Amino acid sequence: MLPHKKTKMKNILYIATIAIFISFTSCKESKKTETETSKMSEVMAIHDEVMPKMGTLGKLVGQLKPMADSLGVESVEFKAMKDLQEANRSMMDWMQGFGDRFDADEILNGKDLSDEKKKWLLEEEEKVKQVKENINSSIANAEKILSKK
């Protein structure tokens, strides 16, 4: 594995671990205001909702690839495969960016956020909503295409 791939994989595993801990500690009282706590929980809930679909993305890419390879880059199968790959990449990029902006105490333990990080959290909420939309729409499109075959 290439060094930059190892680093990216470590970041992905770090974020996945954080997400798991959040699910176990979401009922824990924190020092953050209720609004901050609920916003962080909302953002992580969106992530937790779509993260299990990452395997579906890969499975669908595998099903579309032979068709896309034989039909070419102008085919709906190729475009659907690329959408699935982009949705996967958008989740990986979002998780890495989120992990770069917030530390484990902020995510897991309710550590107070600076004013700047409160703004970042709102930005991250919009980003993860877009990631969710990308994942859900690419899966729906691929499944529609494959159901016709």
Side-chain angles (χ1 to χ4, degrees):
M1 197 179 267
L2 297 172
H4 71 280
K5 293 273 187 188
K6 285 183 181 179
T7 302
K8 190 166 189 174
M9 186 57 90
K10 285 180 184 177
N11 287 340
I12 292 168
L13 292 173
Y14 175 72
I15 295 298
T17 302
I18 289 171
I20 291 168
F21 281 114
I22 286 174
S23 66
F24 290 120
T25 61
S26 61
C27 296
K28 188 178 177 181
E29 283 188 22
S30 69
K31 296 178 183 176
K32 287 166 54 170
T33 67
E34 191 171 313
T35 303
E36 288 176 38
T37 301
S38 64
K39 184 56 68 185
M40 182 65 79
S41 295
E42 288 172 26
V43 170
M44 292 312 299
I46 295 167
H47 166 271
D48 293 347
E49 177 187 338
V50 293
M51 189 65 196
K53 297 179 181 183
M54 298 303 284
T56 302
L57 292 174
K59 182 181 117 198
L60 291 169
V61 166
Q63 291 173 343
L64 286 169
K65 185 160 179 36
M67 292 179 260
D69 288 346
S70 68
L71 297 170
V73 297
E74 296 301 318
S75 68
V76 294
E77 292 82 359
F78 184 86
K79 290 176 182 170
M81 182 184 73
K82 288 300 180 187
D83 287 346
L84 290 165
Q85 291 169 331
E86 179 55 36
N88 181 66
R89 189 172 25 263
S90 71
M91 175 61 107
M92 296 300 120
D93 291 347
W94 180 81
M95 289 189 306
Q96 183 173 1
F98 190 81
D100 289 345
R101 283 183 148 186
F102 300 96
D103 64 41
D105 278 344
E106 292 164 336
I107 298 169
L108 299 174
N109 300 324
K111 179 180 168 187
D112 287 335
L113 300 178
S114 67
D115 287 341
E116 181 180 38
K117 287 194 175 191
K118 289 175 190 175
K119 291 176 188 172
W120 287 355
L121 187 58
L122 295 175
E123 292 172 11
E124 294 301 327
E125 179 182 33
E126 291 308 309
K127 289 178 188 176
V128 78
K129 284 179 180 179
Q130 186 60 57
V131 167
K132 176 184 172 179
E133 173 59 30
N134 294 348
I135 290 171
N136 289 335
S137 64
S138 66
I139 288 173
N141 185 48
E143 288 175 339
K144 180 180 170 187
I145 291 168
L146 289 167
S147 71
K148 293 178 182 179
K149 301 292 175 194

